Amino acid sequence: MAEAHQAVAFQFTVTPEGIDLQLSHQALTEIYLSGVRSWKKRIIRLKNSVVTGVYPASPSSWLFVVIAILATMYTRSDPSMGLIAKIQEHLPVSKSMSTQCQVVVSAVLFSTMLWLLLIFTMRLCLKQLLSYHRWMFEQHGKMSNTTKVWVALVRIFSGRKPLLYSYQGSLPNLPVPAVKDTVKRYLESVRPLMDDDKYELMTKLATEFESSLGKRLQWYLKLKALWASNYVSDWWEEYVYLRGRSPIMVNSNYYGMDLYVTPTPIQAARAGNSIHAFFLYRRKLNKEEIKPSRIPGTVIPLCAAQCERIFNTTRTPGEETDSVQHWQDSDYIAIYHRGRYFRLRVYQAGRLLSPREIEYQIQRILDDPSPPSAGEAKLGALTAGDRIPWAKARQTYFSSGINKRSLDCIERAAFFVTLDDEEQGILGDDPQASLDRYAKSLLHGKCYDRWFDKSFSVVYYKNGKNGINAEHSWADAPVLAHLWEYTLATDCFQLGYNAEGHCKGDVDASLPKPQKLNWEIPPECEEQITQSLAVAQTLADDVDFHVLSFQDFGKGRIKRCRVSPDALIQTALQLAYYRNRKTFCLTYEASMTRLFREGRTETVRSCTNESCAFVRALEGGEAAEVCRRLFRSASEKHQQLYRMAMTGAGIDRHLFCLYVVSKYLGVESPFLKEVLAEPWRLSTSQTPVQQAELFDIVNHPEYISCGGGFGPVADDGYGVSYYILGENMINFHISCKHSCPDTDAHKFGAEIRKALHDLIQMLSPSPREATFTAQSRPEAKKDL
């Protein structure tokens, strides 16, 4: 009951002398300061809404327009061509308002309408400018005059200091491709994967679809595109993520790793600094002080809509579909440690706790000897198992009373934290095996010591290592990676540690203890927890994971060969898969569509006729010159497909939405059914470095993250995430399933390494050139 008493602002008792009222000044002060903080945030949001709403103009430009109109009127000119007089005629007549005053009011109203019209015109112009994508298809280093003029106009209409969400109203809508074009591109993409008979059948189905049902479905899709901000994103979130009934652990959630070095071996100190950094980022996010993301090296903005749900967000289970819930604010985090759940407030008297104070509070939790209550220790397994049992258990056992209050505390927290009692990282005599274990731990842990429904969970290990696990439905990896990059850099280069490894600063010893959450778990619920844990454990045990840290060369060497690093890596993956499985497969490469409003991702089908022709030539022993020519062709084709996917001319999201429309109409399409049933046996994704300016990568290569990864998409396939680190390193995170006899993550990693060497040797056959990078590359430090 101690926690309950602390939450009460005043107490009163009835005595013979009357009511004895005892006010708690500390509690009332906390309530007052909390209210002040809340109102400050509301005022900031209101201010930012005004600034964003009038962008690309500024609020002060209204005053300029008013003064200009009034000044023009005093020169006996009428800039409104009679409109001010018309407004004056329709003003409510007031005896207290003189004629001159009426003229001024009319002029101000006219100026305001003119100002709004100018804003609308500028925003429309900017939207049209951002719809121009021909620049992306021009040869590198050769910009056309049209594009040069376009860049200048974009700079003019973009304003000088945009806020995070300033561009949202000016971003173009995702266009709906023509059915004919999508079908044509689809047939081209599957040609190398089908024999003549199957391809002929698929061509027949596609032709029938294009000439009949496709036209009808397209009409509905175009109607949605006119009405909605994005014709894909809401259906993608609902049907691809939220309606999935299988576990989201491994199947959907993904992870991000820590730095190569460990800034401090003290678990509580590492948590103190990075938790403080997370909230610094949230403060910048709420104030919209984070610079809008742009395509690297350009002035082209990317949609920031996904940033809104980074914090204070959770995925809530349902029997038919889950939902994403987001709260405007939360002043605490939820923490798991040794089977117990805690609530830790990170604000005191209206201020954010210092890193040292957060460390002090975390250490209190680590030192707390209290045991978990009955059923509490493995409660998180409910979020790791199938969704329907979790939804039923949530409704039955967590919809009222103490369990609901504790569950609400976790779900409404800014984010979730796990204080893990294991050590992870690059450890011992076998650093490679320890790196693989580290990846698996971040992906699924013990299956009950993470809260997989939270937008993201941060894991702090006993030796000071950390990592992050993220739920996928609310946003894609680059959004969370931006936060993670900021946190890691702020932790090491802004906040830092003292000589003993503790956070800097002093501690307010009067801080209230973190609140332990209480539960009343009945035996029936414990049984469901056990069942969910069994499902999750089986899934986790089946995952085979390998982290390949490739340091023989990186993008610097690749670029000297005048090749796109991404195109070379994708071709290497095709070569590695062919050598591993003696065949080609449908390949998924994620590409972003954030050039458009509320854009998320599109698929680049990286297995092409050109890439297959190159692989066959290389494996068939063709001459080096022939192989180089075929490789260049495959690389150019890949780049073309990537650009088309980014600019709304992809294949898979359009076909997916046509399929959803067909289900709503209750009609069957043999063509769409075949398309959606094709497995992605090779699912790939690149995690880009977005904030290289945060620290000096060249002089501090050990302060880069090891990257992140995800589970396999197909039971008989591979999931490959790659992270290009600086100029001389590429990390691959490879996953597959032990239950498939045809897949092996370590063997596939070895094939990737060999394929990369074969490709770079083919492109630069000179022995001297081939060894230059290895000799000149600075070694990245690995911290145990």
Side-chain angles (χ1 to χ4, degrees):
M1 292 298 293
E3 296 85 2
H5 284 302
Q6 290 175 3
V8 177
F10 61 89
Q11 307 171 39
F12 67 91
T13 56
V14 178
T15 65
E17 290 77 21
I19 295 178
D20 180 19
L21 189 65
Q22 298 178 350
L23 293 175
S24 171
H25 294 288
Q26 181 181 0
L28 289 175
T29 301
E30 287 293 331
I31 291 172
Y32 167 74
L33 292 174
S34 177
V36 170
R37 174 173 168 269
S38 177
W39 276 105
K40 282 183 178 179
K41 294 188 72 172
R42 291 183 188 181
I43 292 171
I44 290 172
R45 288 195 191 103
L46 178 62
K47 172 197 164 189
N48 288 341
S49 296
V50 172
V51 173
T52 300
V54 301
Y55 191 83
S58 63
S60 59
S61 63
W62 171 83
L63 186 60
F64 175 81
V65 174
V66 171
I67 292 173
I69 293 296
L70 290 175
T72 306
M73 290 180 64
Y74 278 109
T75 62
R76 300 187 181 278
S77 299
D78 185 5
S80 70
M81 294 182 291
L83 285 176
I84 292 178
K86 287 286 185 182
I87 295 172
Q88 185 177 349
E89 290 177 9
H90 292 85
L91 279 178
V93 179
S94 174
K95 294 180 180 179
S96 60
M97 186 180 293
S98 65
T99 302
Q100 186 176 5
C101 186
Q102 292 180 28
V103 171
V104 172
V105 171
S106 301
V108 170
L109 289 175
F110 170 77
S111 301
T112 302
M113 290 188 290
L114 178 63
W115 180 64
L116 293 174
L117 180 62
L118 289 172
I119 291 172
F120 176 79
T121 304
M122 291 176 66
R123 182 170 289 184
L124 187 62
C125 290
L126 183 57
K127 190 170 186 176
Q128 292 301 313
L129 288 169
L130 295 178
S131 299
Y132 172 83
H133 298 129
R134 280 178 53 192
W135 63 273
M136 199 176 292
F137 296 89
E138 293 178 352
Q139 188 175 351
H140 183 69
K142 294 184 179 180
M143 186 183 296
S144 66
N145 291 331
T146 302
T147 300
K148 289 178 181 178
V149 173
W150 168 77
V151 170
L153 290 173
V154 170
R155 291 184 186 277
I156 292 171
F157 282 95
S158 290
R160 290 186 300 171
K161 294 182 179 179
L163 298 177
L164 176 62
Y165 301 120
S166 291
Y167 287 105
Q168 292 302 103
S170 302
L171 291 172
N173 290 1
L174 183 68
V176 182
V179 173
K180 180 180 179 180
D181 294 339
T182 298
V183 168
K184 179 182 177 182
R185 288 193 288 267
Y186 168 77
L187 290 174
E188 181 184 355
S189 73
V190 297
R191 184 65 188 96
L193 306 174
M194 297 180 178
D195 57 32
D196 293 343
D197 292 339
K198 189 171 182 181
Y199 183 72
E200 184 179 351
L201 174 61
M202 185 58 75
T203 302
K204 182 181 178 182
L205 292 175
T207 303
E208 291 176 356
F209 172 78
E210 180 186 333
S211 60
S212 56
L213 181 59
K215 293 181 179 179
R216 183 184 174 195
L217 301 180
Q218 180 80 345
W219 185 87
Y220 282 98
L221 207 55
K222 285 187 173 181
L223 185 64
K224 186 193 178 189
L226 289 173
W227 178 252
S229 300
N230 190 297
Y231 79 92
V232 175
S233 294
D234 58 339
W235 285 352
W236 186 253
E237 180 177 306
E238 180 178 359
Y239 293 107
V240 172
Y241 294 115
L242 298 179
R243 291 220 174 194
R245 302 293 81 199
S246 59
I248 60 175
M249 183 198 76
V250 175
N251 293 326
S252 178
N253 285 32
Y254 57 94
Y255 69 87
M257 280 185 165
D258 194 8
L259 307 169
Y260 270 90
V261 298
T262 307
T264 176
I266 302 174
Q267 184 178 21
R270 191 74 196 282
N273 258 9
S274 59
I275 289 172
H276 184 84
F278 276 121
F279 279 92
L280 291 180
Y281 187 94
R282 191 180 75 163
R283 179 186 294 169
K284 292 168 71 73
L285 186 69
N286 290 338
K287 293 182 177 181
E288 298 187 38
E289 293 175 351
I290 297 171
K291 295 179 180 179
S293 296
R294 303 177 189 271
I295 292 182
T298 74
V299 296
I300 312 306
L302 301 177
C303 179
Q306 296 179 51
C307 298
E308 297 174 355
R309 299 189 291 182
I310 294 179
F311 296 95
N312 329 317
T313 299
T314 195
R315 174 171 173 163
T316 304
E319 292 193 34
E320 291 186 4
T321 182
D322 293 354
S323 60
V324 177
Q325 290 186 284
H326 172 72
W327 291 269
Q328 285 295 326
D329 192 23
S330 179
D331 64 354
Y332 67 91
I333 55 176
I335 298 178
Y336 174 92
H337 177 244
R338 291 186 180 175
R340 302 144 325 149
Y341 292 86
F342 294 86
R343 171 179 181 165
L344 172 59
R345 293 189 178 275
V346 293
Y347 283 88
Q348 173 76 3
R351 67 172 180 85
L352 176 63
L353 296 185
S354 69
R356 185 70 182 88
E357 289 172 327
I358 296 176
E359 177 189 350
Y360 174 72
Q361 295 290 67
I362 294 291
Q363 192 61 51
R364 280 177 153 183
I365 294 174
L366 293 172
D367 296 338
D368 189 328
S370 62
S373 57
E376 179 185 11
K378 299 180 179 180
L379 177 63
L382 291 172
T383 69
D386 291 322
R387 303 305 290 175
I388 293 178
W390 171 209
K392 291 180 178 179
R394 189 178 190 277
Q395 179 63 33
T396 304
Y397 307 113
F398 299 90
S399 59
S400 62
I402 192 171
N403 287 348
K404 183 180 188 303
R405 290 194 294 274
S406 295
L407 181 61
D408 283 348
C409 181
I410 293 176
E411 293 185 336
R412 293 171 182 262
F415 53 91
F416 190 80
V417 168
T418 294
L419 300 175
D420 205 302
D421 54 4
E422 295 181 347
E423 294 187 358
Q424 293 292 349
I426 305 174
L427 306 170
D429 298 330
D430 192 352
Q432 185 56 68
S434 65
L435 198 57
D436 296 345
R437 289 194 298 270
Y438 179 24
K440 274 182 66 68
S441 175
L442 288 174
L443 185 64
H444 54 67
K446 298 173 184 174
C447 301
Y448 58 80
D449 55 350
R450 318 279 188 261
W451 199 268
F452 294 100
D453 286 354
K454 285 298 291 181
S455 55
F456 67 93
S457 301
V458 192
V459 183
Y460 297 97
Y461 293 102
K462 191 175 180 179
N463 59 338
K465 276 291 178 189
N466 69 1
I468 197 165
N469 182 287
E471 200 277 317
H472 210 327
S473 65
W474 63 273
D476 300 307
V479 175
L480 191 70
H482 193 278
L483 163 67
W484 191 232
E485 288 176 6
Y486 174 90
T487 302
L488 292 177
T490 303
D491 172 15
C492 298
F493 294 98
Q494 302 297 325
L495 301 176
Y497 302 88
N498 62 24
E500 291 77 28
H502 293 283
C503 297
K504 297 176 181 178
D506 299 321
V507 177
D508 180 1
S510 67
L511 290 172
K513 287 186 177 180
Q515 176 188 350
K516 185 178 182 300
L517 302 185
N518 297 314
W519 308 87
E520 293 178 356
I521 310 296
E524 298 81 8
C525 184
E526 288 190 57
E527 184 178 347
Q528 182 55 63
I529 292 172
T530 302
Q531 293 175 6
S532 293
L533 179 58
V535 170
Q537 195 65 59
T538 300
L539 178 60
D541 291 342
D542 196 23
V543 175
D544 181 16
F545 226 101
H546 176 48
V547 179
L548 168 62
S549 184
F550 185 83
Q551 302 182 42
D552 299 337
F553 59 85
K555 72 175 181 180
R557 172 78 179 280
I558 297 171
K559 285 183 175 181
R560 286 199 293 274
C561 297
R562 297 186 178 181
V563 176
S564 159
D566 185 64
L568 184 134
I569 291 171
Q570 284 293 326
T571 306
L573 292 176
Q574 291 299 314
L575 179 58
Y577 188 89
Y578 185 81
R579 288 171 171 174
N580 183 250
R581 301 288 291 271
K582 308 305 178 186
T583 185
F584 297 104
C585 71
L586 191 63
T587 304
Y588 182 111
E589 181 187 4
S591 165
M592 62 95 176
T593 56
R594 290 170 63 198
L595 287 169
F596 305 95
R597 190 171 184 179
E598 296 181 17
R600 291 200 59 163
T601 60
E602 178 57 275
T603 304
V604 180
R605 293 179 168 233
S606 301
C607 182
T608 63
N609 289 308
E610 290 80 1
S611 66
C612 292
F614 162 72
V615 170
R616 289 193 181 100
L618 187 66
E619 291 299 279
E622 293 285 349
E625 189 58 40
V626 174
C627 291
R628 278 194 284 269
R629 176 174 53 81
L630 291 174
F631 175 83
R632 299 285 180 185
S633 176
S635 175
E636 290 171 6
K637 181 65 175 182
H638 176 268
Q639 289 297 93
Q640 177 77 1
L641 291 176
Y642 202 97
R643 293 172 184 131
M644 292 177 70
M646 286 182 64
T647 54
I651 299 169
D652 290 276
R653 299 302 178 268
H654 186 204
L655 294 177
F656 161 77
C657 288
L658 291 172
Y659 180 76
V660 173
V661 173
S662 74
K663 288 299 181 182
Y664 277 126
L665 296 179
V667 294
E668 288 291 332
S669 168
F671 170 69
L672 292 177
K673 190 174 181 180
E674 285 288 329
V675 172
L676 271 296
E678 294 169 343
W680 301 98
R681 290 192 174 90
L682 185 54
S683 180
T684 71
S685 177
Q686 179 189 172
T687 304
V689 177
Q690 303 172 71
Q691 302 171 88
E693 74 280 359
L694 290 177
F695 67 97
D696 187 350
I697 294 179
V698 175
N699 293 322
H700 299 285
E702 69 274 20
Y703 281 92
I704 50 181
S705 167
C706 301
F710 51 87
V713 173
D715 290 339
D716 59 347
Y718 291 101
V720 181
S721 172
Y722 52 97
Y723 194 46
I724 301 175
L725 307 168
E727 296 294 307
N728 304 298
M729 189 187 303
I730 307 171
N731 275 1
F732 293 87
H733 298 249
I734 307 161
S735 65
C736 61
K737 293 192 174 182
H738 289 296
S739 57
C740 177
D742 299 324
T743 58
D744 185 299
H746 289 77
K747 288 183 179 179
F748 193 57
E751 293 289 4
I752 292 173
R753 181 184 292 276
K754 185 176 185 302
L756 288 169
H757 277 287
D758 290 346
L759 291 182
I760 206 70
Q761 185 177 3
M762 178 197 68
L763 293 171
S764 54
S766 168
R768 180 182 177 184
E769 184 182 358
T771 58
F772 174 76
T773 302
Q775 293 173 354
S776 60
R777 175 178 54 82
E779 288 294 328
K781 299 178 184 177
K782 289 186 176 69
D783 187 83
L784 298 181

